[in-house]
Short mmCIF file of all heavy atoms in Angstrom, two decimals:
data_model
loop_
_atom_site.label_atom_id
_atom_site.label_comp_id
_atom_site.label_asym_id
_atom_site.label_seq_id
_atom_site.Cartn_x
_atom_site.Cartn_y
_atom_site.Cartn_z
N TYR C 10 -90.16 -7.16 -33.99
CA TYR C 10 -88.72 -7.15 -33.53
C TYR C 10 -88.44 -8.54 -32.90
O TYR C 10 -89.13 -9.06 -32.14
CB TYR C 10 -88.75 -6.08 -32.27
CG TYR C 10 -87.48 -5.66 -31.80
CD1 TYR C 10 -86.95 -4.42 -31.92
CD2 TYR C 10 -86.53 -6.48 -31.07
CE1 TYR C 10 -85.79 -3.96 -31.40
CE2 TYR C 10 -85.35 -6.09 -30.56
CZ TYR C 10 -84.90 -4.81 -30.72
OH TYR C 10 -83.74 -4.39 -30.28
N ALA C 12 -85.24 -10.59 -31.34
CA ALA C 12 -83.88 -10.58 -30.79
C ALA C 12 -83.53 -11.92 -30.33
O ALA C 12 -84.24 -12.71 -29.75
CB ALA C 12 -83.97 -9.53 -29.57
N GLY C 13 -82.26 -12.20 -30.60
CA GLY C 13 -81.59 -13.47 -30.18
C GLY C 13 -80.78 -13.24 -28.89
O GLY C 13 -79.75 -12.43 -29.03
N ASN C 14 -81.08 -13.84 -27.78
CA ASN C 14 -80.31 -13.69 -26.55
C ASN C 14 -79.31 -14.92 -26.41
O ASN C 14 -79.75 -16.02 -26.13
CB ASN C 14 -81.17 -13.60 -25.43
CG ASN C 14 -80.52 -13.43 -24.08
OD1 ASN C 14 -79.23 -13.19 -24.06
ND2 ASN C 14 -81.23 -13.37 -23.07
N TRP C 15 -78.11 -14.61 -26.67
CA TRP C 15 -77.15 -15.66 -26.61
C TRP C 15 -76.71 -16.15 -25.24
O TRP C 15 -76.10 -17.20 -25.09
CB TRP C 15 -75.79 -15.28 -27.28
CG TRP C 15 -75.83 -15.05 -28.75
CD1 TRP C 15 -76.99 -15.15 -29.55
CD2 TRP C 15 -74.77 -14.63 -29.57
NE1 TRP C 15 -76.65 -14.80 -30.89
CE2 TRP C 15 -75.34 -14.52 -30.96
CE3 TRP C 15 -73.45 -14.42 -29.45
CZ2 TRP C 15 -74.51 -14.13 -32.05
CZ3 TRP C 15 -72.62 -14.04 -30.55
CH2 TRP C 15 -73.17 -14.03 -31.90
N LYS C 16 -77.13 -15.33 -24.19
CA LYS C 16 -76.74 -15.61 -22.86
C LYS C 16 -75.16 -15.85 -22.64
O LYS C 16 -74.56 -15.12 -23.34
CB LYS C 16 -77.60 -16.76 -22.19
CG LYS C 16 -79.15 -16.52 -22.45
CD LYS C 16 -80.07 -17.53 -21.76
CE LYS C 16 -81.52 -17.11 -22.06
NZ LYS C 16 -82.46 -17.98 -21.40
N TRP C 18 -72.84 -17.65 -24.15
CA TRP C 18 -72.41 -18.28 -25.29
C TRP C 18 -71.67 -17.42 -26.26
O TRP C 18 -72.23 -16.25 -26.35
CB TRP C 18 -73.61 -19.02 -26.03
CG TRP C 18 -73.15 -19.78 -27.28
CD1 TRP C 18 -72.66 -21.18 -27.34
CD2 TRP C 18 -72.92 -19.34 -28.62
NE1 TRP C 18 -72.15 -21.44 -28.55
CE2 TRP C 18 -72.31 -20.41 -29.30
CE3 TRP C 18 -73.30 -18.06 -29.28
CZ2 TRP C 18 -72.08 -20.20 -30.76
CZ3 TRP C 18 -72.95 -17.94 -30.63
CH2 TRP C 18 -72.38 -19.00 -31.31
N ALA C 46 -82.09 -8.19 -33.83
CA ALA C 46 -80.99 -7.87 -32.89
C ALA C 46 -80.50 -9.19 -32.34
O ALA C 46 -81.12 -10.16 -32.29
CB ALA C 46 -81.51 -6.92 -31.86
N VAL C 47 -79.12 -9.12 -32.06
CA VAL C 47 -78.46 -10.14 -31.25
C VAL C 47 -77.98 -9.58 -30.05
O VAL C 47 -77.35 -8.53 -30.02
CB VAL C 47 -77.37 -10.86 -32.04
CG1 VAL C 47 -77.89 -11.78 -33.18
CG2 VAL C 47 -76.34 -9.91 -32.59
N CYS C 48 -78.16 -10.35 -28.82
CA CYS C 48 -77.71 -9.79 -27.49
C CYS C 48 -76.63 -10.75 -27.13
O CYS C 48 -76.84 -11.89 -26.88
CB CYS C 48 -79.03 -9.98 -26.58
SG CYS C 48 -80.55 -9.31 -27.33
N VAL C 49 -75.49 -10.19 -27.08
CA VAL C 49 -74.14 -11.04 -26.98
C VAL C 49 -73.45 -10.68 -25.76
O VAL C 49 -73.63 -9.63 -25.20
CB VAL C 49 -73.36 -10.83 -28.30
CG1 VAL C 49 -74.25 -11.11 -29.42
CG2 VAL C 49 -72.71 -9.62 -28.29
N PRO C 50 -72.60 -11.57 -25.28
CA PRO C 50 -71.65 -11.31 -24.17
C PRO C 50 -70.75 -10.05 -24.44
O PRO C 50 -70.41 -9.73 -25.56
CB PRO C 50 -70.84 -12.53 -23.99
CG PRO C 50 -71.55 -13.60 -24.74
CD PRO C 50 -72.31 -12.93 -25.87
N LEU C 54 -68.91 -8.12 -28.13
CA LEU C 54 -69.68 -6.97 -28.66
C LEU C 54 -68.88 -6.40 -29.81
O LEU C 54 -69.45 -6.13 -30.90
CB LEU C 54 -69.88 -5.95 -27.61
CG LEU C 54 -71.10 -6.34 -26.56
CD1 LEU C 54 -71.06 -5.31 -25.30
CD2 LEU C 54 -72.44 -6.33 -27.23
N ALA C 67 -79.12 -5.13 -35.24
CA ALA C 67 -78.87 -4.41 -34.06
C ALA C 67 -77.89 -5.25 -33.09
O ALA C 67 -78.16 -6.48 -33.23
CB ALA C 67 -79.98 -3.76 -33.29
N VAL C 68 -77.07 -4.68 -32.36
CA VAL C 68 -76.12 -5.42 -31.45
C VAL C 68 -76.61 -4.84 -30.05
O VAL C 68 -76.74 -3.73 -29.75
CB VAL C 68 -74.77 -5.07 -31.80
CG1 VAL C 68 -73.82 -5.80 -30.71
CG2 VAL C 68 -74.33 -5.43 -33.07
N ALA C 69 -76.86 -5.90 -29.11
CA ALA C 69 -77.26 -5.52 -27.86
C ALA C 69 -76.30 -6.18 -26.87
O ALA C 69 -75.91 -7.35 -27.02
CB ALA C 69 -78.71 -6.01 -27.55
N ALA C 70 -76.11 -5.48 -25.67
CA ALA C 70 -75.48 -6.04 -24.56
C ALA C 70 -76.56 -6.83 -23.63
O ALA C 70 -77.69 -6.60 -23.94
CB ALA C 70 -74.60 -5.17 -23.70
N GLN C 71 -76.21 -7.51 -22.77
CA GLN C 71 -77.09 -8.30 -21.79
C GLN C 71 -77.29 -7.64 -20.48
O GLN C 71 -78.04 -8.18 -19.76
CB GLN C 71 -76.68 -9.76 -21.77
CG GLN C 71 -76.56 -10.48 -23.17
CD GLN C 71 -75.87 -11.81 -22.98
OE1 GLN C 71 -75.66 -12.43 -21.87
NE2 GLN C 71 -75.74 -12.52 -24.12
N VAL C 98 -79.59 -2.72 -25.01
CA VAL C 98 -79.18 -3.45 -23.91
C VAL C 98 -80.29 -4.18 -23.28
O VAL C 98 -81.38 -3.52 -23.09
CB VAL C 98 -78.38 -2.52 -22.90
CG1 VAL C 98 -79.34 -1.36 -22.45
CG2 VAL C 98 -77.91 -3.27 -21.73
N VAL C 99 -80.19 -5.53 -22.95
CA VAL C 99 -81.16 -6.19 -22.24
C VAL C 99 -81.09 -5.88 -20.80
O VAL C 99 -79.99 -5.83 -20.26
CB VAL C 99 -81.04 -7.74 -22.37
CG1 VAL C 99 -81.96 -8.52 -21.64
CG2 VAL C 99 -81.05 -8.18 -23.96
N ILE C 131 -84.06 -3.07 -23.51
CA ILE C 131 -85.06 -4.22 -23.67
C ILE C 131 -85.32 -4.70 -22.24
O ILE C 131 -84.60 -5.36 -21.71
CB ILE C 131 -84.44 -5.39 -24.53
CG1 ILE C 131 -84.00 -4.75 -25.97
CG2 ILE C 131 -85.47 -6.42 -24.75
CD1 ILE C 131 -83.21 -5.79 -26.84
N LEU C 238 -88.22 -12.72 -28.08
CA LEU C 238 -86.85 -12.59 -27.46
C LEU C 238 -86.47 -14.18 -27.39
O LEU C 238 -87.12 -14.75 -26.72
CB LEU C 238 -86.85 -11.94 -26.21
CG LEU C 238 -85.41 -11.86 -25.48
CD1 LEU C 238 -84.37 -11.22 -26.34
CD2 LEU C 238 -85.42 -10.93 -24.21
N SER C 243 -81.81 -19.28 -30.73
CA SER C 243 -81.15 -18.21 -31.43
C SER C 243 -79.69 -18.64 -31.58
O SER C 243 -78.90 -17.91 -32.30
CB SER C 243 -81.19 -16.98 -30.67
OG SER C 243 -80.31 -16.78 -29.63
#
Side-chain angles (χ1 to χ4, degrees):
Y10 192 114
N14 179 7
W15 294 2
K16 306 189 181 185
W18 179 84
V47 287
C48 315
V49 311
L54 285 168
V68 180
Q71 298 175 7
V98 58
V99 176
I131 304 172
L238 183 54
S243 76

